[in-house]
Amino acid sequence: MCLAIILSTQLLTGCRAFVHPLASAPFLRAAYASSSSSFTLASKNTCHKNDRSCGSSLHSTVQQDVQSRGTDTTAAMNGRTRIVANDQDFLKPALDTRHYRCIVLPNNLQVLIVSDPETDVEAAAVHIKAGHFDDPDTRAGLAHFNEHMLFLGTEKYPKENDFETFVGQHGGITNAYTDMEDTNYYFSVAPLDHDDVESMDDFEEEKEAKLEGQEESYSSEIDGRVSQALSGGLDRFAQFFIAPLFNEEAVERELRAIDSEHLNSFTSESWRNYQLLKSTCNQNHPFSKFGCGNYNTLTNGGNITGSDAVSSGGSSPVPALKEFWKDKYIAENMKVCVLGRASLDEIQKEVEKAFAGVRSNGSTESEQTDVPDVIFQKEHRKYGVAFGRKHLGLIREYVPLVEERTIKLLFATPPNDDPAIVESRPDRVVTHLLGHESPGSLHALLLEDGLINDLSSGVGLTTSDFSLCSLTLHLTPKGMAQRDHVLSLVWQYISLVKSTAEHNDEAMEAYHEELRQVSKTQFHFRENGDPTDFCSAAAELLHEYAPEKVLVGSSMPGPYNSSITKAFLERLHPDNCIVNIQNSDFEAGDDGEYECSAASSSWQFEKWYKAKYREVKIAPSLQEKWSSMAGIDSRLHLPAMNSFLPTDFSLRSEDSEAKESFKEDIDYRKEMPKLLLERPGLQLWHKLDRTFKVPKTHLRLFLTSPDVYRSPRSMTLMRLYVKVLEDDLNSYIYDASIAGCSARVVCLPSGISISVRGFSEKLPHLLDVVTGRMLTIIEEMKSADQSSGLHLKFEKATKNLLRETKNFRLESPYETASYISRVLLEHNVWHVSNYIAELEGETANSHPLTLAECAKVAEESLTQRLMATFLCMGNIDEKGAHDVVKLIETNFLHQARPLSFEEIPKLRSMKMPLKEEAVRIFGPGVQNMSIPLKIEEMTYSASEENHAVEVILQCGAEYEMGYQGVALLELIGQMAYNSAYNTLRTQEQLGYIVSAFTRKTAGSAMGFSVLVQSSTKKPQELEERIENWLALFRKELASMPAEDMAKEAAAVVASLLERNMRLSDEVGTAWGSIVSAVSLGSFYNKPPFERHAKLAEILTVEGNDAHDESETSSNKHVMTKEELKSQVLDLWDRYFSTDAPERRAVVARVYGHKAQTDYEANVGKPGYLSSYEDVRQLKQFLAQWPTAPYWIEKNSR
């Protein structure tokens, strides 16, 4: 799936997004976290956008797929709904308990209906086969603009935020994205019934009658009627595609939102790369279009409001918008997926009612006739050639904004939905081999020589008539300096793969079959996923696959096809390639003398994002050299067969002893992990999975150590240790990652986290390999000389860590605002500048980091003073848990001394000053400031045009607030988001990124935050607007009917009580509870497994208890709706109002460079913190909050 790379998860809800397909490609998956270092030993080359599926099918024919994609028009001709696939027709994973039906409505609209009586989330999605490829030439971004406008009112529901408000009140989310040829809309709700419901007695009678066979079409999965939440959501959602308003009053505001969205991405490397690719292809192909759009492209270059509306030459996009919607938003161009708790019959009735008004043009999809003697029938058929001879065979050099050294080879290849590709998937086996990381691979050789940090391969971009297959190398400075040698090895390895395909069909077929086996296993044991994601993906896949095959999609290819694989490999040729070189050193004039260079060409700037680049044709001599590799480096060879593929899928829950202990009356989903072993320095928790019944196990280990975060230097050295370990282990256990197992080691301020998960059969061995190597590598590091491989890995790790740390300063302004506020709010947090000082500069030169010192710090952190917390969960019994904990005791604890309570690392939160306290600290100069404490920062990038502000209002310590306060704060966050978004983003158009949310800081302090990022308003005005909204929201709360607030509370309750849908979700929930109690000492380290249920109990008001699954005591007072509202207002007035007696406010301001003078004018003013030194000095005056959490409870054991 395409991914919106706009916001963090916390900020994403409710924001629409234009997306690009490269966002899901392997080479864009990089992030730097300031307080942790980690690596994941998992395949980088086997999960691409083209590997899309929602369910299962083992064998298919290309002809069946092609024939089934057209809409069945029989239903329309007969004026009735037609069922085109029943539940028994669908090919499903073995664990899939959902029920499916695919129907075609009388208007030709195809809908996949899914009944899941066990779901706590209901969802729906509509996928339109129209995207920015369909933009008129004179209105770039129109498809994206249309997507935005559909959320702003329909004829039936004219209020702008009606849909989002309804979804929010029912515990859900809504979003959409615009892609090249597609637009996807989706929403989710919790099945709450706030208002009147039909008599359950009547329903039970009807249910009983149906189950007795009086209505044959009824499915046995009944769990009630369609919820009001889903019914109301569908009715509002369907109106997007029946009668949108396209209100003129909203046009100007939403145009500004599109413009802000474009500017937010202006410094994003992924967006700059993507648009550069579009701007340098064939400009007659729709791929060349500027899909995001901005104000000028949508208005023909001028204002459409204001005094210069006429003279500027602009024109409203509304006529073009209406024409676009009328032409593209028809039933034949749409697919729908709806998932709910109710029966298939009941959901179908609701779908028929909601979507009956969608227009049809009565057309059918015409089948293309085959072109004789052409293998790839769809290539270049629809739009022509996007990348022809003029646009390929190029060396392109590009200057990134961040420190980066990357070579990416892009090959023009057939589209992924070409019949030949769909059947045999040659791209999968080819990219699998090119990106392999086992010994003898290109990755392993370049990594061993210190030339790369990473390598990945895959088809990251695909359209209906072409795709781009990529091989991406993230180089070290040494690798970039030796780029000619690196590229020579790349082409040698490609030649090796081609030669094997040409002369050894048996080997290639074996690799293909191995991948088929992996896919078959993963599909067979796939668990149900998130309903919202499922609906979004399924609606898209209905355009491409027969309904009964939509669950499997493309994840199960047919047998190996030698001729098609060879034809695909022929595309991997220098004259069909763009060699894209990204090097931040180009800015300093580092041209060098290279065969592969574009230095003879002049620099240019891309039109929309101003990316700096130059390009030349690959010289004929270089093309000849690369395409006819006479000799291949003897160290290169293709991988051996994978020995990690699992064969034992037996379940421990089916063992005789487990069966004997099984009790029918127990809901094992609610069963918590059991403490099997507790002694000084060690806790072992365990739970045998009886719910999901997958042959997978999760092993989580946390080694609490006071030595990791004792100084910036120790933290830096531990991060380097993790990087060296990753480098060392990578090729050794790569096969395990391909086979469905993964290992992750993370360096955190409080210790080291180790996670190993996957199919149970091989997992203990994988844990032994990882934990054993963590210690043996330390001994080798102690004695390694300057010429050793480990020393080379350490040098590379040091350079990479420096690059990542410096690039961290280039994060978006809103992320920077969050970071600088964290530096102030937390007691002992090292600043990014502390880490950089250890890696470069005067300190680094006088006290350089060494491999021996790294080994010493790692040894101290992992073996001397430790507390181990271990969880074994899934397909593992108690005996297995005791067996694996012995590995931990042997590898880590046999010499370690258990931590005393005083030695356990504890994070603390600073108490921000009240107004009168701030006056005592800073003087009378802050007396009249609404927020007397401001922390400010300039964006590091000179090209950053955005500003950001985050206002943080502290409530206090968790323990002091208790369950009651924390629950009420969650409710306020639920209600505040939509209000802030509607006011600050939709109405006032301050910026594209707007959010309001509860904020917890390390050390158990709670608060409330409002965040805005803007390219048009400076920080001071943003702060003022936020304060105005806070006052407005207080009025909204006061005027809100108590019944409406109770609905919002019910939405929070539904979210809190939402059950885990997969084993991994259950493990994550349990582990979060366990580790949260680690620092509390032996008296209070009982994990808060029941905290969500207790919070839900607080918010369950009279008449709103349909979802109360907690064991509420009979004598416990249940709030009325009026009491709930009163308590919310009391909390707000105590902490958040401008004149609140306990208002502890701080604002983080981040200035784009066009506001540098504003930033400089504030330096030194009372109440303004303009440097890390200012923050450190202020902390001398501040108290700290208690660290006890709100759920703390003394142990009974």
Side-chain angles (χ1 to χ4, degrees):
M1 285 296 296
C2 298
L3 304 176
I5 55 171
I6 310 297
L7 302 173
S8 67
T9 302
Q10 187 178 42
L11 303 181
L12 186 60
T13 305
C15 300
R16 272 76 73 187
F18 170 75
V19 305
H20 65 75
L22 294 186
S24 60
F27 46 84
L28 293 178
R29 302 177 309 131
Y32 175 75
S34 66
S35 62
S36 68
S37 178
S38 67
F39 72 85
T40 303
L41 299 167
S43 170
K44 306 176 186 69
N45 311 299
T46 58
C47 183
H48 313 302
K49 184 186 176 185
N50 49 298
D51 291 332
R52 298 172 297 172
S53 65
C54 297
S56 89
S57 168
L58 302 186
H59 301 286
S60 64
T61 63
V62 177
Q63 192 61 32
Q64 285 175 322
D65 283 338
V66 173
Q67 288 176 347
S68 64
R69 293 180 198 173
T71 301
D72 188 327
T73 60
T74 307
M77 290 187 292
N78 293 338
R80 60 179 174 80
T81 296
R82 178 180 174 83
I83 297 175
V84 295
N86 270 310
D87 186 58
Q88 63 269 21
D89 300 322
F90 285 83
L91 296 157
K92 309 178 189 179
L95 304 170
D96 193 346
T97 58
R98 291 169 174 167
H99 297 269
Y100 301 89
R101 179 185 295 170
C102 189
I103 62 174
V104 177
L105 302 183
N107 57 5
N108 279 349
L109 180 63
Q110 190 178 64
V111 185
L112 177 65
I113 299 169
V114 187
S115 173
D116 183 356
E118 295 299 311
T119 188
D120 290 332
V121 175
E122 299 180 309
V126 172
H127 194 86
I128 310 291
K129 207 63 180 170
H132 76 255
F133 277 17
D134 301 291
D135 288 347
D137 292 337
T138 56
R139 301 281 183 181
L142 191 69
H144 182 205
F145 184 54
N146 175 78
E147 171 221 306
H148 277 238
M149 289 297 295
L150 291 191
F151 283 84
L152 300 181
T154 61
E155 289 182 9
K156 188 172 182 179
Y157 300 100
K159 189 176 179 181
E160 278 192 8
N161 65 339
D162 179 88
F163 178 59
E164 288 167 303
T165 299
F166 179 90
V167 168
Q169 286 181 343
H170 290 79
I173 62 166
T174 179
N175 216 323
Y177 66 80
T178 302
D179 205 343
M180 294 179 288
E181 299 174 274
D182 313 86
T183 307
N184 191 283
Y185 302 83
Y186 55 89
F187 77 93
S188 70
V189 289
L192 309 167
D193 279 324
H194 295 309
D195 301 327
D196 294 336
V197 205
E198 295 187 41
S199 167
M200 288 306 295
D201 291 336
D202 293 342
F203 172 70
E204 287 299 327
E205 291 178 9
E206 182 180 349
K207 171 180 173 181
E208 183 178 350
K210 290 179 177 180
L211 289 176
E212 289 175 356
Q214 295 181 23
E215 291 189 34
E216 294 179 358
S217 64
Y218 191 77
S219 300
S220 62
E221 68 276 6
I222 283 188
D223 191 31
R225 295 190 183 280
V226 174
S227 69
Q228 183 212 17
L230 183 59
S231 176
L234 284 176
D235 193 44
R236 289 164 172 78
F237 189 47
Q239 293 301 311
F240 286 19
F241 316 103
I242 296 172
L245 281 180
F246 296 127
N247 193 332
E248 289 278 3
E249 295 178 1
V251 168
E252 174 70 18
R253 286 187 277 106
E254 214 56 32
L255 285 170
R256 296 297 176 187
I258 295 285
D259 204 59
S260 177
E261 184 175 346
H262 166 57
L263 290 174
N264 279 333
S265 305
F266 200 77
T267 57
S268 165
E269 292 298 347
S270 55
W271 283 105
R272 291 161 66 85
N273 269 291
Y274 178 51
Q275 192 60 47
L276 177 58
L277 196 60
K278 291 164 72 67
S279 296
T280 52
C281 76
N282 176 8
Q283 295 302 290
N284 294 319
H285 192 284
F287 179 69
S288 65
K289 293 184 177 182
F290 173 45
C292 180
N294 61 27
Y295 188 96
N296 286 334
T297 65
L298 286 164
T299 61
N300 281 331
N303 291 327
I304 60 170
T305 60
S307 58
D308 63 340
V310 177
S311 61
S312 68
S315 61
S316 171
V318 172
L321 185 66
K322 291 180 177 179
E323 186 63 30
F324 177 88
W325 182 88
K326 181 180 178 181
D327 182 44
K328 302 299 180 184
Y329 280 56
I330 55 175
E332 289 77 9
N333 225 21
M334 298 166 56
K335 305 291 181 184
V336 181
C337 180
V338 179
L339 184 152
R341 270 187 178 179
S343 72
L344 293 174
D345 288 350
E346 295 296 327
I347 298 174
Q348 179 174 325
K349 291 176 186 176
E350 220 42 68
V351 167
E352 290 170 332
K353 183 171 64 175
F355 289 93
V358 174
R359 295 171 304 114
S360 167
N361 66 5
S363 66
T364 58
E365 185 176 325
S366 59
E367 294 184 21
Q368 289 185 334
T369 56
D370 288 352
V371 179
D373 302 321
V374 173
I375 295 178
F376 303 114
Q377 289 288 322
K378 293 191 68 174
E379 189 174 25
H380 306 152
R381 289 286 294 276
K382 188 171 183 179
Y383 304 112
V385 179
F387 291 90
R389 288 187 174 274
K390 177 182 177 182
H391 315 99
L392 296 166
L394 294 172
I395 297 169
R396 179 175 297 142
E397 296 179 338
Y398 162 77
V399 182
L401 297 178
V402 299
E403 185 179 346
E404 183 179 6
R405 298 169 186 86
T406 301
I407 292 180
K408 183 186 305 165
L409 284 73
L410 291 167
F411 301 94
T413 47
N416 278 351
D417 63 351
D418 188 286
I421 299 290
V422 168
E423 175 62 16
S424 63
R425 292 301 303 272
D427 58 307
R428 182 177 289 181
V429 68
V430 168
T431 57
H432 168 70
L433 293 174
L434 291 179
H436 214 280
E437 300 179 14
S438 64
S441 65
L442 176 66
H443 180 282
L445 189 154
L446 294 173
L447 197 69
E448 187 65 29
D449 287 350
L451 300 174
I452 64 167
N453 299 313
D454 195 15
L455 181 153
S456 59
S457 179
V459 178
L461 186 154
T462 186
T463 74
S464 58
D465 72 346
F466 80 94
S467 67
L468 292 177
C469 179
S470 66
L471 177 63
T472 306
L473 304 99
H474 295 277
L475 280 75
T476 62
K478 176 183 176 182
M480 185 58 76
Q482 298 183 32
R483 75 177 77 155
D484 290 337
H485 173 59
V486 169
L487 284 165
S488 175
L489 290 171
V490 167
W491 289 105
Q492 287 177 48
Y493 197 64
I494 291 174
S495 295
L496 177 61
V497 175
K498 285 183 174 181
S499 176
T500 304
E502 187 67 35
H503 303 294
N504 193 344
D505 269 354
E506 184 177 340
M508 292 297 289
E509 184 174 7
Y511 292 128
H512 181 86
E513 289 302 315
E514 184 176 87
L515 291 176
R516 289 182 76 196
Q517 179 62 35
V518 169
S519 293
K520 180 178 178 180
T521 300
Q522 290 176 340
F523 157 73
H524 186 76
F525 295 107
R526 185 168 60 209
E527 302 167 79
N528 287 338
D530 175 73
T532 316
D533 293 342
F534 172 86
C535 287
S536 178
E540 178 181 8
L541 292 173
L542 280 171
H543 284 280
E544 303 179 28
Y545 295 95
E548 62 271 15
K549 295 175 183 176
V550 75
L551 301 179
V552 66
S554 63
S555 64
M556 292 292 184
Y560 177 71
N561 188 308
S562 177
S563 60
I564 291 176
T565 303
K566 291 173 186 175
F568 188 89
L569 276 166
E570 282 304 309
R571 303 304 178 89
L572 275 56
H573 192 275
D575 65 3
N576 190 50
C577 176
I578 300 171
V579 181
N580 193 56
I581 305 173
Q582 297 178 204
N583 186 3
S584 48
D585 297 329
F586 285 146
E587 196 64 65
D590 181 20
D591 292 335
E593 295 292 331
Y594 302 104
E595 283 184 303
C596 184
S597 173
S600 60
S601 179
S602 300
W603 290 107
Q604 305 176 59
F605 291 90
E606 190 274 324
K607 179 178 181 180
W608 300 110
Y609 291 89
K610 308 305 178 187
K612 185 177 180 180
Y613 74 101
R614 61 190 180 189
E615 61 185 31
V616 296
K617 275 287 188 179
I618 301 173
S621 59
L622 189 55
Q623 277 205 38
E624 175 64 24
K625 178 180 177 180
W626 284 345
S627 59
S628 58
M629 285 295 179
I632 295 177
D633 193 300
S634 61
R635 295 172 294 172
L636 291 173
H637 58 80
L638 296 187
M641 292 295 102
N642 195 332
S643 62
F644 274 90
L645 295 185
T647 57
D648 180 5
F649 303 112
S650 60
L651 298 176
R652 301 288 70 79
S653 61
E654 299 299 320
D655 292 344
S656 58
E657 186 176 336
K659 283 185 173 181
E660 289 174 5
S661 63
F662 179 79
K663 296 181 181 179
E664 291 284 353
D665 59 341
I666 294 179
D667 183 352
Y668 286 99
R669 291 174 301 184
K670 296 181 179 180
E671 186 182 49
M672 301 302 146
K674 182 171 67 172
L675 186 60
L676 289 188
L677 177 65
E678 182 175 31
R679 60 169 176 259
L682 175 64
Q683 276 191 345
L684 170 62
W685 295 86
H686 168 261
K687 181 183 177 182
L688 171 66
D689 169 47
R690 298 178 187 267
T691 303
F692 304 99
K693 296 189 175 181
V694 288
K696 296 181 179 181
T697 300
H698 293 248
L699 307 174
R700 298 284 189 93
L701 172 66
F702 191 76
L703 299 173
T704 304
S705 170
D707 296 313
V708 175
Y709 202 65
R710 65 188 180 213
S711 69
R713 190 173 185 87
S714 63
M715 188 67 179
T716 300
L717 287 165
M718 283 304 295
R719 284 177 171 155
L720 292 174
Y721 163 77
V722 168
K723 285 182 173 293
V724 172
L725 178 69
E726 174 193 14
D727 205 341
D728 181 79
L729 278 172
N730 190 73
S731 63
Y732 182 75
I733 61 173
Y734 176 77
D735 278 347
S737 67
I738 296 292
C741 295
S742 66
R744 179 176 171 86
V745 178
V746 183
C747 173
L748 298 168
S750 52
I752 300 292
S753 174
I754 303 166
S755 172
V756 180
R757 65 180 183 176
F759 289 104
S760 308
E761 179 186 3
K762 310 284 185 176
L763 220 59
H765 174 62
L766 182 58
L767 177 67
D768 192 23
V769 168
V770 172
T771 57
R773 187 56 181 154
M774 288 177 70
L775 296 180
T776 58
I777 198 173
I778 291 174
E779 295 304 315
E780 294 176 19
M781 291 167 68
K782 290 178 182 178
S783 58
D785 58 34
Q786 295 284 330
S787 61
S788 67
L790 281 177
H791 195 275
L792 181 65
K793 289 179 172 64
F794 180 77
E795 286 187 335
K796 185 177 72 172
T798 303
K799 292 175 182 177
N800 286 338
L801 184 59
L802 175 60
R803 173 179 55 83
E804 292 164 5
T805 308
K806 292 167 75 173
N807 286 346
F808 175 75
R809 300 178 300 186
L810 300 172
E811 295 284 352
S812 299
Y814 80 89
E815 293 172 302
T816 302
S818 178
Y819 174 71
I820 62 174
S821 62
R822 173 180 161 246
V823 170
L824 173 61
L825 292 169
E826 295 181 22
H827 170 239
N828 185 27
V829 54
W830 306 119
H831 192 265
V832 63
S833 61
N834 298 136
Y835 298 122
I836 293 175
E838 297 292 346
L839 293 161
E840 74 171 3
E842 183 178 344
T843 300
N845 292 333
S846 59
H847 299 85
L849 302 170
T850 66
L851 186 61
E853 186 183 7
C854 182
K856 180 175 180 293
V857 171
E859 185 174 47
E860 291 171 350
S861 300
L862 292 172
T863 66
Q864 294 192 2
R865 297 181 296 166
L866 285 178
M867 180 168 64
T869 309
F870 194 31
L871 171 65
C872 301
M873 198 161 166
N875 190 38
I876 184 170
D877 56 21
E878 291 189 10
K879 179 182 180 303
H882 282 290
D883 288 342
V884 292
V885 82
K886 291 176 183 176
L887 297 175
I888 304 307
E889 292 180 296
T890 300
N891 288 332
F892 294 115
L893 303 179
H894 67 290
Q895 292 181 335
R897 174 176 61 79
L899 290 182
S900 65
F901 177 71
E902 291 77 16
E903 291 176 304
I904 298 173
K906 295 177 182 65
L907 302 175
R908 299 181 181 275
S909 291
M910 307 303 299
K911 183 181 287 190
M912 295 299 101
L914 299 170
K915 173 70 75 69
E916 56 269 26
E917 293 170 342
V919 171
R920 285 200 299 271
I921 296 171
F922 298 110
V926 301
Q927 180 66 56
N928 297 322
M929 293 165 59
S930 172
I931 301 178
L933 182 56
K934 309 178 193 297
I935 180 168
E936 301 196 323
E937 183 76 270
M938 283 292 303
T939 58
Y940 197 80
S941 172
S943 59
E944 181 60 70
E945 297 191 17
N946 291 290
H947 319 286
V949 162
E950 181 176 0
V951 172
I952 303 107
L953 303 167
Q954 279 192 332
C955 298
E958 278 187 35
Y959 181 68
E960 295 175 355
M961 295 185 70
Y963 275 100
Q964 189 84 8
V966 171
L968 292 172
L969 185 60
E970 287 296 319
L971 175 57
I972 288 174
Q974 158 79 13
M975 296 184 290
Y977 176 82
N978 277 336
S979 174
Y981 185 86
N982 184 54
T983 301
L984 300 176
R985 193 275 197 193
T986 304
Q987 300 297 327
E988 298 186 15
Q989 283 299 311
L990 297 186
Y992 183 69
I993 296 176
V994 172
S995 191
F997 51 94
T998 60
R999 177 166 175 175
K1000 176 183 176 181
T1001 53
S1004 300
M1006 300 296 294
F1008 176 71
S1009 280
V1010 187
L1011 184 149
V1012 179
Q1013 179 169 296
S1014 175
S1015 60
T1016 59
K1017 306 297 181 184
K1018 293 182 180 180
Q1020 181 175 341
E1021 183 173 354
L1022 293 177
E1023 180 185 330
E1024 291 169 357
R1025 297 286 190 94
I1026 290 173
E1027 284 280 43
N1028 291 341
W1029 171 77
L1030 289 168
L1032 174 65
F1033 183 59
R1034 171 59 175 82
K1035 294 177 181 178
E1036 291 177 6
L1037 291 175
S1039 62
M1040 181 183 293
E1043 292 77 10
D1044 287 354
M1045 192 171 291
K1047 291 179 182 180
E1048 299 280 4
V1052 177
V1053 169
S1055 176
L1056 289 167
L1057 297 181
E1058 185 179 323
R1059 291 169 293 184
N1060 294 306
M1061 303 196 63
R1062 290 169 291 195
L1063 174 62
S1064 59
D1065 299 333
E1066 184 176 79
V1067 172
T1069 300
W1071 183 240
S1073 294
I1074 290 169
V1075 296
S1076 67
V1078 165
S1079 65
L1080 300 180
S1082 58
F1083 283 7
Y1084 296 98
N1085 62 352
K1086 179 182 178 181
F1089 294 124
E1090 303 291 339
R1091 70 184 186 280
H1092 284 174
K1094 291 180 179 179
L1095 288 171
E1097 188 178 303
I1098 297 292
L1099 294 176
T1100 301
V1101 300
E1102 288 183 357
N1104 249 19
D1105 56 357
H1107 285 266
D1108 183 18
E1109 299 182 8
S1110 59
E1111 298 178 0
T1112 308
S1113 58
S1114 58
N1115 60 353
K1116 184 173 180 61
H1117 174 70
V1118 177
M1119 281 193 293
T1120 64
K1121 298 177 177 66
E1122 291 72 21
E1123 286 173 331
L1124 175 69
K1125 178 176 177 179
S1126 175
Q1127 290 192 24
V1128 166
L1129 291 174
D1130 287 347
L1131 189 148
W1132 186 273
D1133 291 340
R1134 179 179 178 182
Y1135 297 114
F1136 302 148
S1137 293
T1138 304
D1139 56 352
E1142 296 183 44
R1143 194 181 207 235
R1144 299 180 184 275
V1146 59
V1147 59
R1149 296 175 169 185
V1150 179
Y1151 293 78
H1153 273 260
K1154 61 186 177 184
Q1156 184 170 353
T1157 54
D1158 297 63
Y1159 167 80
E1160 292 173 346
N1162 290 332
V1163 174
K1165 286 184 178 179
Y1168 287 81
L1169 310 178
S1170 303
S1171 67
Y1172 178 49
E1173 183 61 28
D1174 289 347
V1175 173
R1176 292 199 300 180
Q1177 294 301 320
L1178 173 64
K1179 285 184 178 181
Q1180 298 178 95
F1181 298 88
L1182 303 181
Q1184 298 171 18
W1185 294 105
T1187 59
Y1190 67 93
W1191 44 260
I1192 194 167
E1193 183 180 342
K1194 193 166 185 177
N1195 294 332
S1196 58
R1197 60 180 186 270

